[in-house]
Amino acid sequence: MDDPITPAEADAIIASSLWQPATDRVSLVEAVGRTLTRAIHADRDLPPYARAMMDGVAFSSSSPPHWIQGLHAAGDPPPTALSAEHAWEIMTGACVPADCDTVVPYEDITLEPQGEELQILQILETYEPGQYIHPTGSDALSGEVLVPADRIIGPAEIAIAASVGLTELEVAARPRIALISSGDEAIPVADHPQPWQIRRSNGPMLEALLRRASHVPRLVRHVPDDADVARDDLHDALAQSDLVILCGGISKGKRDLIRPLLEEKLGPPAFHGVFQRPGKPLAFWSGPPLVFALPGNPVSVLATFTRYVLPALSQLEGSDLQVPTRPSPPELQPLPHLTWLLALDAAGNPLPPRNSGDFVSISGAAGFLEVPPAPDCTDRLHLRFFSCSPS
Ligand SMILES: Nc1nc2c(c(=O)[nH]1)N[C@H]1C(S)=C(S)[C@@H](COP(=O)(O)OP(=O)(O)OC[C@H]3O[C@@H](n4cnc5c(N)ncnc54)[C@H](O)[C@@H]3O)O[C@H]1N2
Ligand code: MOO
């Protein structure tokens, strides 16, 4: 399709090209950042025993204590019965014996040695039965869902999985990703540029965006504006990947050869051109593999990756990205006929670049506000905000 389309039309085409992810099994710590596909259940009550929450003494409130019977530490099995007017010294994390209903921390008692036994001289504070005891099953009961499927796995979910004995987790399979930047003027970062050259910044930016979303591309290349040289790399990428992300060489220039090279293998794009700024020359092929060809200007790369590629990646992993809304910054003038992808910093301040090559101006960008074109932009309170690093 060669006529530009709206962002909503582009979304619909992309959504209809996505597939349900297969599943992988990965070790616990490797699961961070992945999407869970099988819910995690409690294998027993949580906590599994009444847990002492303070280092101190445990006793029965019906028999206020004067004497220490012994030490009951974390990891010890339940001790013998407690004698009248006695207490156990108890450590945080120990199981509270069944005949105790109160824990008082060391700070609230005084202990004085007397012969072989320790005498409790005084409990300094009033206490309530049940205090500093984390009751059995008060967090969750055996069999309860602790983490639903579809949840992105973070450190807390890893802890929960470990606590119920899972050494591996079932997660959505990751797409195999290839990243290809292009352009004769863009030289390796470590090389010394001639005055008419620039260093390649789009590739590292895209790789950083992917890595922050917990994706590591399998193939990363830069191709020159020469079809015969670029063809092999492009065809390799298509053959080895589920998702190919390209940047540059997709506009109307005489040496913009990305589209013709992709067409050799994939035919015409599903769309080429979206009514938006930046990023109007965005092109997309449904594949397989899915191909996003992002316009080469650095601000366009960041905006179109954030607005289109990140949400598609989330859906490919079985998690539906929630796009929050924000009110428009004051005095914002929507663009005529074009949706505006406006960079905002973490505090919500606009970072309007002078043009989409001006990537210095978007340092600190946290995401992009989608401002519909004038005159359709009627709801200024609920503009969608696409985060550069959704979690
Ligand atoms: N006749 C027209 N010309 C252009 C149009 C148009 O509609 N008609 N659209 C403009 C817009 S908008 C954009 S965005 C750019 C996109 O063009 P390309 O995707 O072909 O990108 P390039 O021309 O290759 O590069 C654009 C710009 O970005 C710099 N660049 C490219 N690659 C890198 C890299 N890896 N690292 C850093 N910087 C990079 C490149 O040097 C250019 O300055 O087209 C307009 N033209
Ligand atoms: O779409 Mo271009 O990205 O405006 O500079």
Side-chain angles (χ1 to χ4, degrees), residues 115-174:
E116 290 298 293
E117 282 191 305
L118 275 178
Q119 186 181 21
I120 299 174
L121 285 179
Q122 215 181 348
I123 295 183
L124 305 170
E125 297 290 330
T126 55
Y127 55 82
E128 294 288 331
Q131 73 175 26
Y132 297 124
I133 298 175
H134 186 182
T136 310
S138 58
D139 297 347
L141 296 175
S142 179
E144 234 177 83
V145 172
L146 303 179
V147 183
D150 296 353
R151 177 72 51 85
I152 295 176
I153 300 164
E157 287 72 26
I158 302 276
I160 293 167
S163 77
V164 303
L166 296 174
T167 55
E168 291 186 329
L169 288 175
E170 202 178 283
V171 297
R174 291 243 127 123

Side-chain angles (χ1 to χ4, degrees), residues 59-110:
F59 54 86
S60 167
S61 59
S62 63
S63 179
H66 300 293
W67 302 92
I68 293 294
Q69 186 157 324
L71 176 69
H72 180 51
D76 287 349
T80 54
L82 193 62
S83 306
E85 298 186 4
H86 276 65
W88 295 106
E89 277 191 83
I90 196 162
M91 302 299 118
T92 304
C95 63
V96 177
D99 53 7
C100 296
D101 64 4
T102 306
V103 168
V104 174
Y106 279 126
E107 293 86 325
D108 294 348
I109 62 172
T110 54

Side-chain angles (χ1 to χ4, degrees), residues 307-353:
R307 171 61 182 80
Y308 296 99
V309 184
L310 268 183
L313 267 174
S314 289
Q315 286 176 50
L316 280 178
E317 293 209 84
S319 82
D320 214 0
L321 186 74
Q322 299 300 313
V323 182
T325 60
R326 292 195 180 183
S328 147
E331 293 165 24
L332 186 80
Q333 290 303 322
L335 303 172
H337 312 301
L338 293 176
T339 292
W340 187 6
L341 300 177
L342 173 63
L344 300 183
D345 68 13
N349 302 309
L351 300 171

Side-chain angles (χ1 to χ4, degrees), residues 162-339:
S163 77
V164 303
L166 296 174
T167 55
E168 291 186 329
L169 288 175
E170 202 178 283
V171 297
R174 291 243 127 123
R176 296 166 303 157
I177 301 177
L179 197 56
I180 297 192
S181 57
S182 65
D184 286 347
E185 76 282 25
I187 65 161
V189 177
D191 288 2
H192 183 74
Q194 297 296 331
W196 55 89
Q197 294 178 321
I198 55 166
R199 298 189 182 89
R200 295 170 192 165
S201 59
N202 283 342
M205 174 166 66
L206 282 169
E207 194 168 344
L209 284 159
L210 284 170
R211 283 178 182 263
R212 199 156 60 171
S214 303
H215 290 274
V216 179
R218 294 197 181 188
L219 182 150
V220 179
R221 303 262 168 86
H222 184 89
V223 297
D225 297 325
D226 177 335
D228 291 332
V229 182
R231 181 176 286 108
D232 285 349
D233 277 336
L234 243 63
H235 289 186
D236 278 357
L238 295 177
Q240 298 170 20
S241 315
D242 303 307
L243 168 63
V244 179
I245 302 163
L246 300 117
C247 64
I250 194 64
S251 188
K252 300 200 186 295
K254 288 278 163 56
R255 292 196 180 159
D256 286 342
L257 46 81
I258 295 298
R259 175 169 172 170
L261 283 179
L262 290 171
E263 284 185 328
E264 289 176 9
K265 287 278 180 193
L266 299 176
F271 64 80
H272 188 180
V274 178
F275 287 117
Q276 62 191 1
R277 180 179 298 158
K280 191 163 178 225
L282 174 69
F284 174 76
W285 280 259
S286 312
L290 294 181
V291 178
F292 287 89
L294 314 181
N297 271 321
V299 180
S300 309
V301 172
L302 185 59
T304 51
F305 182 92
T306 302
R307 171 61 182 80
Y308 296 99
V309 184
L310 268 183
L313 267 174
S314 289
Q315 286 176 50
L316 280 178
E317 293 209 84
S319 82
D320 214 0
L321 186 74
Q322 299 300 313
V323 182
T325 60
R326 292 195 180 183
S328 147
E331 293 165 24
L332 186 80
Q333 290 303 322
L335 303 172
H337 312 301
L338 293 176
T339 292

